[in-house]
Amino acid sequence: MFFCITFGTQEFKSPLKGYEHITTRCLNCNNWRAYCIKDWEWITICFIPILPLSFHPYKEVECQICHFRQDLRDRPDIEAQRQQGPGQIQMTPQAPPAPNMPQYK
Ligand SMILES: [Zn+2]
């Protein structure tokens, strides 16, 4: 009888609740395609998540273009955007918007 048991880690990503409407500038490539995500890594046995590698999921900002990640605590500008609410996003003069920036209503 032969059993094949695989061990590994699996990263579970999802949009961060309360931050879904926020699109911000990536500090690595300067494109306006960074989104807030919740990221939680788990140990898996046979692809079944068994044990989390941290007590809480990480709250990060991830760029969709260059995949640069940054801790949400290092981006106080995002909390300011969140308090303004959707549709109130203002661009700063230091960061001109990219030509492929999504339109907001
Ligand atoms: Zn980027």
Side-chain angles (χ1 to χ4, degrees):
M1 188 173 284
F2 176 73
F3 290 103
C4 181
I5 299 175
T6 60
F7 294 92
T9 60
Q10 175 71 41
E11 186 179 78
F12 294 96
K13 278 192 325 186
S14 62
L16 186 58
K17 223 173 195 171
Y19 293 80
E20 297 94 345
H21 64 280
I22 294 175
T23 305
T24 189
R25 185 171 61 93
C26 171
L27 296 184
N28 189 40
C29 67
N30 273 342
N31 285 305
W32 282 82
R33 294 289 303 269
Y35 298 93
C36 299
I37 60 165
K38 182 175 76 176
D39 179 24
W40 206 351
E41 196 163 9
W42 285 66
I43 293 173
T44 58
I45 297 175
C46 293
F47 306 103
I48 299 170
I50 302 296
L51 193 68
L53 284 176
S54 63
F55 290 111
H56 301 287
Y58 293 106
K59 295 175 181 174
E60 297 176 321
V61 180
E62 184 184 50
C63 177
Q64 301 254 316
I65 295 172
C66 69
H67 302 287
F68 176 73
R69 286 189 184 180
Q70 189 176 26
D71 198 309
L72 192 59
R73 290 174 292 186
D74 297 335
R75 297 289 303 265
D77 57 317
I78 292 175
E79 188 59 38
Q81 272 188 26
R82 180 176 172 236
Q83 289 170 358
Q84 286 177 352
Q88 304 264 334
I89 296 171
Q90 296 176 354
M91 309 291 176
T92 56
Q94 307 95 312
N100 58 353
M101 190 183 125
Q103 297 294 315
Y104 292 97
K105 295 176 184 174

